Every structure is written in structure tokens, then in C-alpha cells.
Amino acid sequence: MIKKMKKGYPILEINLSSIYQNASIIIEKAKRQGISIDGVTKVTLGDPKVAEVLIKAGVRGISDSRIENIKRMRKLKTEFTFIRLPSFSEIKEIVNYADITLNSELNILRELENFAQKMRKKHKVIIMVEMGDLREGIWDKKELEKVIKEVLNMKNIELVGIGTNFTCFGGVIPTQEKLIEFSELVENLERKFSINFSLISGGNSSSIPLLFKEEIPKKINHLRIGEAIMLGRDTAYRDPIPGGRRDTFRILAEIIELKEKPSVPWGVINEDAFGHKPVFKNRGIRKRALLNIGRQDIDTKGLFPEIPDIEILGANSDYLVVDLGEHTEIKLGDIIGFYLNYSSLLQAFTSPFVKKIYKEVNS
Ligand SMILES: *Cc1c(COP(=O)(O)O)cnc(C)c1O
């Protein structure tokens, strides 16, 4: 049984030692192959305690997609990379708070140079290359060379790397062939411009299977890893990380109604509050609970009850409706725990209603 807290639910439990363990395993595995890891904190809303644990585990730096998140973590001693493409409207903040940005637009790079000069700062950039997933990156080889040529002449911009991204829009998996293609492109650019990129950033958590099979081409020396650390699994096949932990986050909610009710609604049926026409199976009278967690807190489709044989029937803004099955021991006021997928975790962190508690490392 879960110990009751006075804080009010829902509560997101953040298990810092499990996060530390996942990060350490990945960092060690990568290190032996000459690959450094940036810990990606965006799913945690840039949580400084999580970032601190990643730094302790040995990440090269912290990457996040929101400048507000980087601001929250800025006091930590590490290098911060802004991994969403910069916007004109945020350039000043970005140059101020991020050490490195990922880029694909020459006009944005010019603006970064402008602001970096004004602020008398050096700003580092990684140029993103499109390899087929069709999110960010330069696809056209001529454009890529033009951008690199101009960036190399910028005074306050330092070209530190070249990167690519997979499995975020098109669902394209970074196979070894894809990464070899990327490596060859990088080698050609290095030869053409007589330069060496210090960061050759070959992807995210979807590259974890290749990392563990030690099949990442030698040229690639950097990965940006979020989900594999936070949820202990890769994003290409959703397999667990060998030796990793899946109990990194758990969300707790309280039962605020518990009654036996029919399993099918009665009356004239039309759409529910979210415009869907619900379908019900008649299973007779069931023991059913309402929990104080809903769509304002999590993605209900990405919630997995910790107790076996209880079933989530549905949810709206404020309630989760659960079938308790044969669990006669569960009472009104009890706390039920759930594990979360990435989407649900993201929502839990961004919801102002979800309180956070930490299980510290070594506690
Ligand atoms: C989110 C993101 C990552 C991390 O992705 P995970 O799948 O969580 O490892 C890496 N790179 C970029 C550009 C991202 O936006």
C-alpha cells in the first residue's frame, strides 16, 4: 500500500537513483566507443535536480528544447545546448542562456552572429543535416556547403559540430547504413573545408540499439539522449536498456469515489465531453473507482496501473475512471500508482496541478 501524503494528489514521483543508473549505463557504454552523451531534459521541463543527476553520471552537457528550461538549470556547471531550432523572436535570450544551438537556417545564423557580436559573446553552433526523417535539417548539399562556408567566416559564431536527427517525425530508424551515409557526408565536408568538427552528433534514443550492439560508425562521437535515460528503453523498438531501470517515474492519484455500478451507461447516448462516441461492453455490475487525475494532468492513454488486473476505462479533464476487477481490498481514499509513457510524462511535468516529489540517490 502506498503511504498517503498530505500534499494533495496527483503526485509525480521522480526516482533520481533510477535515472542515475540509466544515465550511467548509457554513458559508460558510449564512452568505450568514443561517444559522448548529452542528457536531454525537455521531458522533465528542465528539472534542475534531474539535470544534476545526469551531470553526476557524466554527461558531456545538458540539452533542452526550451530556453525557459535552460534558464532554470543555468546555475549548474555544464555546457547547455538549445536543441530546438532558434527563432528570430528568441535570439537574444538564446544567445544569453545557451552555449550551443542546433541550426538549419542561414538567416537565423546571421542573426545569432549579430546578437553574439552585440553581446560580445562567442556562440557555438551545430549544423543539422536532413537524413530522411523530415524534421529539422539541411537536405540540399549545395545549401549545406554555402551555410558552412559563411558560418566559418563569422567572427562570434564558432562551428563546433554537425548533427542529424531520426525517428521524430517520419519514424525513420537510424540503421547502420544511414549512419554510414551521414559519416561519409561529414568526412566529405571536413575534407572540402579542411576542418574537423568536434561534435558529430548522430542522433537520439533511437540510436541506442546500435550503441549497445557497438555498431555506430567510428566517425560519430556524440548522441543526444532523453527518453532512454528517463524511461530506460530505446525509441527505435521500445526495448528495455540492458541493466536499465523502468521505475524512474510513477504518478500517484487518490480514489475519490468507489462504487458498484453497471458497466454500460443508460439513457439516450450521444458524444462524451471530448466529442467521442463511447463504446461499452456489458460486463454486469462492476467495482469502479474515480481517481483525481485526468487530462489536465496526463495523457490517459499512456498510463499503466502498477497493480495488476485493474483497467483504465476512460478519462476526462478531472477524473480517471478505473475498473478495479477483483481487488476487494482497495478502499475509498486509497492511492493508486501508475507508470507513464513519454507522452504522459511530458504532460505530467507540464501540468501545474501535478506535484513533484523526489526519491534521492542513495535514499
Ligand atoms: C528531443 C530531442 C532529442 C532527444 O530525443 P530522445 O528520443 O528523447 O532521446 C535529441 N535531439 C533533438 C534535436 C531533440 O529534439
Side-chain angles (χ1 to χ4, degrees), residues 40 42 65 83-84 102 128 135-136 165 168 203-206 224-228 235 342:
V40 178
K42 67 188 180 205
S65 56
I83 54 168
R84 180 157 76 170
L102 308 187
M128 293 300 279
R135 204 178 70 175
E136 73 275 44
N165 197 54
C168 273
N204 53 35
S205 294
S206 61
R224 311 170 304 272
I225 304 294
E227 184 164 346
T235 57
Y342 192 83

Side-chain angles (χ1 to χ4, degrees), residues 196-223:
N196 282 310
F197 294 108
S198 44
L199 292 174
I200 299 163
S201 192
N204 53 35
S205 294
S206 61
S207 287
I208 289 289
L210 283 192
L211 181 76
F212 277 81
K213 282 192 282 178
E214 308 196 356
E215 284 177 1
I216 298 202
K218 268 216 283 304
K219 191 76 196 154
I220 291 165
N221 65 13
H222 182 252
L223 293 172

Side-chain angles (χ1 to χ4, degrees), residues 248-264:
T248 41
F249 300 92
R250 186 170 70 148
I251 197 158
L252 309 174
E254 181 178 345
I255 297 180
I256 51 181
E257 184 187 290
L258 194 160
K259 294 186 189 305
E260 297 207 333
K261 289 193 188 184
S263 43
V264 176

Side-chain angles (χ1 to χ4, degrees), residues 76-94:
L76 300 170
K77 284 200 178 47
T78 191
E79 195 166 50
F80 286 94
T81 302
F82 184 67
I83 54 168
R84 180 157 76 170
L85 300 175
S87 55
F88 288 116
S89 57
E90 264 184 336
I91 291 267
K92 211 173 141 182
E93 295 264 278
I94 289 168

Side-chain angles (χ1 to χ4, degrees), residues 276-294:
H276 303 294
K277 205 157 188 166
V279 212
F280 295 91
K281 236 194 318 202
N282 194 350
R283 297 193 288 183
I285 305 283
R286 305 289 297 176
K287 192 175 168 192
R288 199 171 160 279
L290 296 187
L291 276 74
N292 62 348
I293 187 170

Side-chain angles (χ1 to χ4, degrees), residues 2 4-12 251-258 288-300 303 310 312 314-322 324 330-338 348 351-355:
I2 294 163
K4 286 182 198 170
M5 307 279 295
K6 284 271 152 59
K7 281 176 112 173
Y9 293 86
I11 291 176
L12 180 70
I251 197 158
L252 309 174
E254 181 178 345
I255 297 180
I256 51 181
E257 184 187 290
L258 194 160
R288 199 171 160 279
L290 296 187
L291 276 74
N292 62 348
I293 187 170
R295 293 199 195 189
Q296 302 204 65
D297 313 295
I298 33 85
D299 172 357
T300 50
L303 221 48
I310 79 170
I312 296 170
N316 51 33
S317 308
D318 306 301
Y319 291 112
L320 187 75
V321 186
V322 169
L324 293 178
I330 298 176
K331 300 181 305 296
L332 178 69
D334 279 357
I335 306 303
I336 306 284
F338 300 87
S351 169
F353 305 112
V354 177
K355 290 140 197 105

